[in-house]
Amino acid sequence: MRSVNRLTAWLIALWMLCAGAATPSFAKEYVLVGSYGNKLYLIDPVAAKIARTFQVPGAGTGPSYIAPSPDSRVAYAVTNRFNSVSGIDLDSGKEVFRADLAQGDVRVHAMFGLDVSPDGKWLYVVEQRYRLLSDRFEVVDPVIAVYRTDAGAEAKPTRLIPIKHQIQHLAVSTDGKTLYAHGLDLYAIDAATGKLRDTMPVANWKRDGYGPAEAFAWLGEQLNSSGVYAMDFYTDRLGQGSPDSPVRDLGVLSANLKTGAMTMEIIGPASEAPDLTGMTVNPRNPNEVIGIGGSLVKIDRRAKRVIARGPTNGLLFYMGVVSADGQRIYTGGGHCRVGIYATKDLSPLGLVELPNCAVMGMSSVRVVNRP
Amino acid sequence: MVSTEEEGLVRPMQAVFPLGCTTALNPGVEVDSTGSVASLCTPWEADLYGCSEPCNWPASVPDSMTYPEWNQGTSNGEADWRSLGQIYPDK
């Protein structure tokens, strides 16, 4: 009996070692969202219930973009009306990181461009900057500010990477060496040197028969374990329809954060899903993307068609993310409800209403693994 | 502005400006960029909050960076929208 117990203990220890330090033992997937009232919530998607609530300190209505650390221990959230980034420890609930972004007389706002390096050491923040002069605003060139995640309560950037204007979203490659910045176009930037390595034209793309492409980059993609940044785009067919009623197509823009491949492909008529505001890739099937917005659709990228539709029941979700096992999609943003759907057929599995129906606004929907 | 030479037309650059949210600065009468309500947020109260925050396109609500008190203490959009503040020009 004693040797059996010893063997069991040894096997458990071996399993924990193999699981690695980055994943908490016996971890379970939760949905991480924010709402007005400066709250963060962990939602148990299986029970369709809120498991834990966190208060983000300081002023502001609600967190905007949220980026969890790779080990799921800290949630970094834009707060204080885009003026600060707060890191909330999801164990203790305490604020362990705070960057108030203003630098001297330069006012700084972060909105949706926020991501953490794969080793968890660096936080990258897209910062929009300006000076308020006595008679006018003076626009200061935007940057990606790089913070140490262990910088504590008064974090200051260790360096600033100059970027083009109108960049809204950011995704770090899986090896941590490249920053994908999405604005009018999609840029690949060397994380170490800050040099622009590659550009994929998006608004400036040249495709025979099409006008500029509009990618919905301002809300940002809710990155998950798929290792793919994906975003819907719409583009007008030239010479068809009229200026007031153009003939439009829907497409999928993606950046593979492992291989570096950046692509834009037309899926079909925009009428298939004319009101998408976000997209997310199934980690277990990268050919499968889910479009979220006034519609909820599943798209087969190879077949270039919508293969499933889900009921939104009159709700427009801003964004969504597919679970690590590829089985469920979680939708949120805008109002006060988090939707849970099966990726197989987009059938609804649950709807979680946040306390006091506090609106999520621009807040993110992310997945984390917690004990 | 982007010139679409093939059509001989010049029309506004649309990139980055989203579907959803109003493009008409006409309080109480929100319409989307096509003149309809099809791509507005639903429930519509979500527009009041979502469109006021980033303030990067014209919405029929004040931006919450310039007027931070506008929606203070009104977390429940569907119930609290009548309590939202009023913004008047400075005299």
Side-chain angles (χ1 to χ4, degrees):
Chain A
M1 191 65 177
R2 201 172 168 185
S3 62
V4 171
N5 287 342
R6 196 175 297 164
L7 178 65
T8 305
W10 185 84
L11 286 172
I12 290 173
L14 182 66
W15 177 81
M16 289 173 71
L17 193 65
C18 292
T23 306
S25 303
F26 310 109
K28 175 180 167 183
E29 186 170 86
Y30 289 89
V31 186
L32 173 66
V33 300
S35 83
Y36 269 51
N38 245 352
K39 307 279 191 195
L40 293 175
Y41 305 93
L42 285 179
I43 296 172
D44 180 339
V46 176
K49 286 183 178 174
I50 293 172
R52 203 163 165 200
T53 303
F54 304 88
Q55 183 70 45
V56 179
T61 48
S64 178
Y65 199 79
I66 306 168
S69 62
D71 62 7
S72 291
R73 292 197 171 112
V74 179
Y76 298 92
V78 174
T79 183
N80 189 19
R81 289 191 177 84
F82 308 107
N83 289 300
S84 304
V85 175
S86 174
I88 303 297
D89 186 303
L90 297 178
D91 286 324
S92 67
K94 293 181 178 172
E95 185 176 62
V96 293
F97 176 92
R98 180 88 180 190
D100 294 320
L101 306 177
Q103 296 284 314
D105 64 340
V106 178
R107 298 184 178 196
V108 182
H109 294 312
M111 298 178 92
F112 313 109
L114 193 72
D115 204 5
V116 186
S117 63
D119 61 10
K121 292 181 179 175
W122 304 101
L123 176 69
Y124 298 97
V125 183
V126 174
E127 296 186 346
Q128 318 290 347
R129 310 187 298 165
Y130 64 95
R131 286 189 183 89
L132 180 57
L133 305 180
S134 58
D135 61 341
R136 68 188 189 280
F137 288 105
E138 179 184 81
V139 175
V140 180
D141 288 340
V143 294
I144 296 173
V146 186
Y147 295 87
R148 289 188 64 93
T149 53
D150 61 1
E154 296 181 5
K156 300 294 177 195
T158 58
R159 60 195 172 98
L160 303 175
I161 300 173
I163 53 172
K164 292 179 181 293
H165 288 255
Q166 293 187 289
I167 285 174
Q168 296 283 15
H169 197 50
L170 192 65
V172 184
S173 65
T174 52
D175 64 6
K177 294 179 178 174
T178 306
L179 309 177
Y180 292 91
H182 189 183
L184 281 180
D185 297 319
L186 184 59
Y187 309 98
I189 298 166
D190 189 299
T193 65
K195 288 185 178 173
L196 180 63
R197 189 184 292 158
D198 197 7
T199 300
M200 181 174 76
V202 180
N204 296 308
W205 80 329
K206 303 294 180 194
R207 184 73 61 98
D208 285 345
Y210 285 101
E214 302 169 33
F216 205 70
W218 61 280
L219 275 175
E221 208 251 304
Q222 309 301 298
L223 298 165
N224 62 5
S225 58
S226 66
V228 180
Y229 171 91
M231 186 59 61
D232 53 283
F233 71 89
Y234 294 93
T235 181
D236 293 353
R237 295 187 208 167
L238 295 176
Q240 298 186 34
S242 67
D244 290 335
S245 183
V247 177
R248 316 194 81 198
D249 278 347
L250 164 69
V252 175
L253 172 157
S254 72
N256 189 313
L257 304 180
K258 294 173 189 164
T259 67
M262 299 189 285
T263 62
M264 289 175 72
E265 58 206 32
I266 298 282
I267 297 298
S271 55
E272 286 285 307
D275 45 11
L276 298 184
T277 54
M279 223 167 227
T280 178
V281 172
N282 188 332
R284 295 301 175 96
N285 182 3
N287 182 52
E288 190 177 291
V289 294
I290 310 289
I292 304 106
S295 314
L296 180 64
V297 295
K298 183 162 75 169
I299 294 169
D300 184 320
R301 294 178 72 173
R302 277 194 293 270
K304 297 188 184 302
R305 64 189 181 91
V306 172
I307 55 174
R309 292 179 185 278
T312 59
N313 297 323
L315 296 171
L316 186 145
F317 294 100
Y318 286 173
M319 60 201 79
V321 64
V322 177
S323 62
D325 65 5
Q327 300 295 310
R328 293 181 297 273
I329 173 162
Y330 313 121
T331 58
H335 44 82
C336 65
R337 300 162 193 92
V338 176
I340 306 167
Y341 296 85
T343 48
K344 182 181 175 186
D345 55 5
L346 299 185
S347 58
L349 300 175
L351 193 67
V352 180
E353 185 170 306
L354 301 181
N356 189 34
C357 199
V359 298
M360 284 178 272
M362 299 289 151
S363 184
S364 298
V365 183
R366 303 298 296 262
V367 290
V368 293
N369 292 299
R370 300 294 307 153
Chain B
M1 304 289 275
V2 168
S3 172
T4 54
E5 294 175 2
E6 294 85 345
E7 294 178 331
L9 298 170
V10 176
R11 61 185 181 81
M13 176 69 181
Q14 293 183 351
V16 175
F17 285 81
L19 294 167
C21 298
T22 182
T23 55
L25 192 63
N26 190 1
V29 188
E30 293 188 310
V31 292
D32 64 23
S33 57
T34 68
S36 76
V37 296
S39 71
L40 296 182
C41 295
T42 48
W44 67 270
E45 293 92 342
D47 250 359
L48 295 171
Y49 293 73
C51 295
S52 68
E53 288 176 359
C55 69
N56 61 351
W57 70 93
S60 57
V61 289
D63 74 81
S64 57
M65 285 190 232
T66 312
Y67 301 100
E69 75 287 356
W70 173 70
N71 57 6
Q72 197 70 45
T74 55
S75 295
N76 181 344
E78 291 160 46
D80 295 342
W81 66 273
R82 290 172 190 274
S83 304
L84 292 170
Q86 302 291 314
I87 304 296
Y88 298 99
D90 293 336
K91 291 182 178 177

